[in-house]
Amino acid sequence: MTLASATDPVSSLAAASVSVADLIEAAGGAGSVSQEIALRTGRELGVSAVHKWKQNGIPDRYWSVVMTLARCSTDELFAANEAARARS
């Protein structure tokens, strides 16, 4: 698993158990994700929209931002999204 380093609190997460909520937390929380998306893409995105990702999955257009912030792989993000969408 590539999510974080050995000194990072999320490093003990197993790849199969990574959720969208875990990725948002590893990225610094919904507020940080929202701010970083605005900085990097010029799109204003509310914190509540980021919270909705936990049920709906992370939109593809924001994957690069989330992967950079959470230090996760495409496979981890894809699996987390599939799990979130299966539950909704």
Side-chain angles (χ1 to χ4, degrees):
M1 183 170 99
T2 61
L3 184 70
S5 67
T7 59
D8 206 319
V10 295
S11 64
S12 63
L13 295 172
S17 69
V18 175
S19 67
V20 170
D22 294 330
L23 294 177
I24 292 169
E25 183 64 29
S32 294
V33 171
S34 175
Q35 289 176 348
E36 198 63 31
I37 285 172
L39 288 172
R40 293 182 186 211
T41 68
R43 292 184 174 131
E44 293 296 322
L45 185 71
V47 173
S48 62
V50 176
H51 283 294
K52 288 178 185 175
W53 294 352
K54 296 172 187 176
Q55 287 79 37
N56 303 325
I58 299 169
D60 298 350
R61 65 181 166 269
Y62 302 126
W63 279 29
S64 63
V65 176
V66 173
M67 287 189 308
T68 300
L69 294 174
R71 291 180 272 157
C72 69
S73 70
T74 305
D75 291 339
E76 289 167 324
L77 200 154
F78 180 81
N81 260 6
E82 288 294 300
R85 291 173 180 162
R87 287 190 297 269
S88 59

